[in-house]
Amino acid sequence: MREYDSLYVDGQWRKPPAGGTIPVVSPVTEEQFTSVPLADRSDVDDAVAAAQRALRSPEWGAISPDERAVLLERFADEMEKNASERAALTTAQNGMPIGLAEGYEGQGPVYLLRYYAGLARATPLEEHRPRFGGGGTTVVRRQPVGVVAAIVPWNFPQALTMFKVAPALAAGCTVVLKPSPETTLDALELAATAERAGLPAGVLNVVTGGVDIGRHLVAHPGVNKIAFTGSSAAGREIGEVAGRLLRPATLELGGKSAAIVLDDADLNASVEGLAMAGLLNTGQTCFASTRILAPRSRHDEVLEAVAAFASNLVIGDPTDPGTHVGPLVSDRQRQRVESYIEAGKADGARLATGGGRPEQDKGWFVQPTVFGTGNDTKIAREEIFGPVLVVIPYGDVDEAVAIANDSEYGLGGTVWTSDPQRGLDVARRVETGVVGINNSMLDFGAPFGGVKSSGIGRELGPEGLHAYFELKSVFLLD
Ligand code: NAD
């Protein structure tokens, strides 16, 4: 593996003055295999200053949307060339099964860059409107919001970074990216790829570190917008800072989404989709449908089918394309997940499968675990972020919707039925940001985000681009 020993600030590779490092530890071997530099506050200050300069530079600030689109497409072409290598970086750091990483982490950013390059071309920056009430014209201008602080978690690091970077650049903004300390290698590879693509200096900067560096960036006076993905606890803190500073913030936070199995669902056809809607990326997926709501008359059938499917998944080396379930990202995350499994047992939930560690000698593995329980238990209410599903019985559809909505969160969700129209009717009633009928795939062309404690604002789709524009109205008289 190549060395990643420098930060990327103002188009230059630089070593942090204090010389700090962050160890990079394999979740499979539990051993450190490399380290990355740890930025200090002066690196963040320099990155924000560089991003401010680039906003007004002739190479970036003065170019047309078409010229920006060409740069984004060149960036996409370079990202396509190292897609497999980048996917492998994610797997090495967070244990994501490689088949999943190839799609979401390798190819996902390429699609997003091309998609937003297309939108940059198609979105007019000025609209001329007849003045309301007559007598003149108003020019409504879309301008880049400015320097974006992009802060991302470790679970889908490259996809979630590109949810922000692609639309921000398409709108003409500049970015200071702070990845999670668990997944920094891929962010530095992103910077190297941007450099190869010829992105002008200061347009994309990468600073590294944990909460301290994140806090310094969020509150920095040179930042114009915050784009954050992570836990609801951190999102609340960042939202408070943004409120105090009157700074726009997009907050993509945690979830505890419901999979509503209707009484007409064909379980044979849907059990794989239903179980994987909750277990994708070893359950470390924000929009995972981890609460399965089953009609009381079919509860045991659903519980047993999901448990049988989960117990047959291949657990092991995430670099093996045949693996379905990899390790959790860290020892801390495994302890967290195991404490929830213990809470489920202590609450008297019915353990249908899993509940322990598989036979691997090393690595932060946890068995896929399925419980039968009510919606009032800790494991049904709190985000676990691991391979733990609960199956909850309901009486009629009204009760299913009420249970789905009886959550602090509202991010994802699914409905499983033989009648998609009926599924759509139920989906309309669920208080959440995205819902899939008989599937849990995201659509990069449609808005994604949450309600309640799952966040504020939307990414993806044209709406994701508009989040990086500031609007100005210029009034002209006849
Ligand atoms: P986290 O909130 O601990 O950290 C996320 C990122 O924010 C990291 O880069 C971290 O260093 C930084 N950070 C943490 N506190 C900060 C603060 N006060 N100020 C500035 N930066 C701060 O989350 P995590 O454990 O890395 O990720 C898991 C969480 O992310 C889960 O709750 C999951 O649901 C959520 N998530 C949400 C989405 C979504 O789109 N809604 C997607 C993926 C993950």
Side-chain angles (χ1 to χ4, degrees):
M1 179 186 293
R2 90 171 182 80
E3 284 275 295
Y4 294 92
D5 58 359
S6 303
L7 310 172
Y8 190 64
V9 173
D10 201 12
Q12 305 286 325
W13 293 95
R14 60 192 256 175
K15 302 221 162 95
T21 58
I22 308 170
V24 185
V25 181
S26 160
V28 178
T29 65
E30 304 180 21
E31 278 164 22
Q32 179 177 342
F33 61 95
T34 188
S35 64
V36 287
L38 170 64
D40 63 28
R41 288 170 175 225
S42 66
D43 297 309
V44 175
D45 297 344
D46 290 352
V48 173
Q52 279 289 353
R53 281 194 301 277
L55 262 186
R56 290 163 190 85
S57 68
E59 299 81 17
W60 184 253
I63 67 176
S64 69
D66 276 356
E67 289 167 315
R68 267 202 298 276
V70 170
L71 275 173
L72 288 190
E73 279 159 357
R74 219 186 288 156
F75 194 5
D77 293 345
E78 289 299 325
M79 292 288 280
E80 194 162 40
K81 288 183 199 159
N82 63 2
S84 295
E85 188 192 329
R86 289 185 297 94
L89 282 180
T90 294
T91 296
Q93 296 171 102
N94 74 2
M96 179 184 292
I98 190 68
L100 191 62
E102 293 274 359
Y104 274 90
E105 297 278 291
Q107 292 301 330
V110 178
Y111 296 147
L112 284 164
L113 281 166
R114 291 194 176 134
Y115 173 72
Y116 279 106
L119 279 187
R121 283 201 177 89
T123 307
L125 294 187
E126 287 195 349
E127 226 180 277
H128 291 237
R129 297 185 192 169
R131 203 178 160 118
F132 180 72
T137 301
T138 296
V139 181
V140 178
R141 280 183 53 75
R142 297 195 173 96
Q143 303 181 167
V145 69
V147 172
V148 175
I151 300 183
V152 293
W154 44 261
N155 61 332
F156 286 88
Q158 301 188 53
L160 294 169
T161 293
M162 206 48 90
F163 279 23
K164 298 160 183 54
V165 168
L169 299 188
C173 294
T174 57
V175 177
V176 178
L177 168 67
K178 193 209 76 67
S180 183
E182 289 85 351
T183 47
T184 299
L185 293 172
D186 54 280
L188 295 173
E189 183 58 33
L190 176 81
T193 316
E195 185 182 36
R196 282 198 292 280
L199 230 58
V203 170
L204 175 65
N205 307 272
V206 179
V207 294
T208 59
V211 178
D212 281 355
I213 288 295
R215 283 191 176 125
H216 185 64
L217 177 59
V218 162
H220 200 289
V223 165
N224 304 109
K225 177 190 164 95
I226 303 156
F228 172 77
T229 299
S231 61
S232 297
R236 260 193 197 96
E237 185 186 321
I238 290 169
E240 282 178 18
V241 175
R244 183 161 48 75
L245 298 173
L246 296 177
R247 180 169 297 169
T250 306
L251 304 172
E252 301 285 0
L253 311 176
K256 189 74 185 180
S257 304
I260 303 179
V261 181
L262 296 181
D263 53 7
D264 64 359
D266 175 351
L267 211 48
N268 280 335
S270 53
V271 68
E272 176 176 358
L274 175 63
M276 291 314 291
L279 295 173
L280 188 77
N281 196 22
T282 314
Q284 300 167 120
T285 303
C286 53
F287 61 92
S289 291
T290 49
R291 289 185 296 148
I292 298 177
L293 314 188
R296 192 159 280 116
S297 60
R298 299 188 66 185
H299 173 268
D300 288 2
E301 179 196 349
V302 172
L303 181 69
E304 282 154 24
V306 172
F309 180 86
S311 63
N312 280 322
L313 290 171
V314 178
I315 308 174
D317 178 1
T319 64
D320 181 337
T323 294
H324 304 122
V325 178
L328 297 173
V329 67
S330 62
D331 190 25
R332 188 170 65 110
Q333 188 67 11
R334 180 166 69 175
Q335 285 174 28
R336 175 189 157 91
V337 171
E338 287 181 337
S339 78
Y340 277 105
I341 292 174
E342 291 316 308
K345 291 174 182 168
D347 272 349
R350 177 173 150 199
L351 180 64
T353 190
R357 294 182 183 180
E359 281 166 6
Q360 272 73 10
D361 299 336
K362 281 214 158 161
W364 295 308
F365 292 93
V366 171
Q367 288 175 322
T369 298
V370 183
F371 282 108
T373 186
N375 197 46
D376 53 349
T377 56
K378 188 176 165 82
I379 54 170
R381 303 205 73 80
E382 296 182 15
E383 182 182 52
I384 299 175
F385 228 54
V388 182
L389 305 181
V390 296
V391 181
I392 300 168
Y394 70 82
D396 58 15
V397 171
D398 287 347
E399 195 192 356
V401 171
I403 295 173
N405 292 342
D406 178 14
S407 170
E408 180 195 340
Y409 296 105
L411 183 55
T414 46
V415 184
W416 303 87
T417 173
S418 301
D419 178 354
Q421 195 53 47
R422 196 173 162 224
L424 182 58
D425 288 342
V426 172
R428 287 192 175 108
R429 298 172 61 193
V430 181
E431 293 161 5
T432 188
V434 295
V435 194
I437 312 291
N438 296 325
N439 81 93
S440 59
M441 294 291 292
L442 292 189
D443 174 359
F444 287 174
F448 170 73
V451 299
K452 302 195 270 187
S453 293
S454 293
I456 297 177
R458 294 291 179 270
E459 296 189 307
L460 301 182
E463 294 80 3
L465 174 65
H466 288 282
Y468 292 95
F469 285 128
E470 197 57 89
L471 295 171
K472 181 194 278 183
S473 297
V474 182
F475 311 126
L476 296 172
L477 295 177
D478 284 335

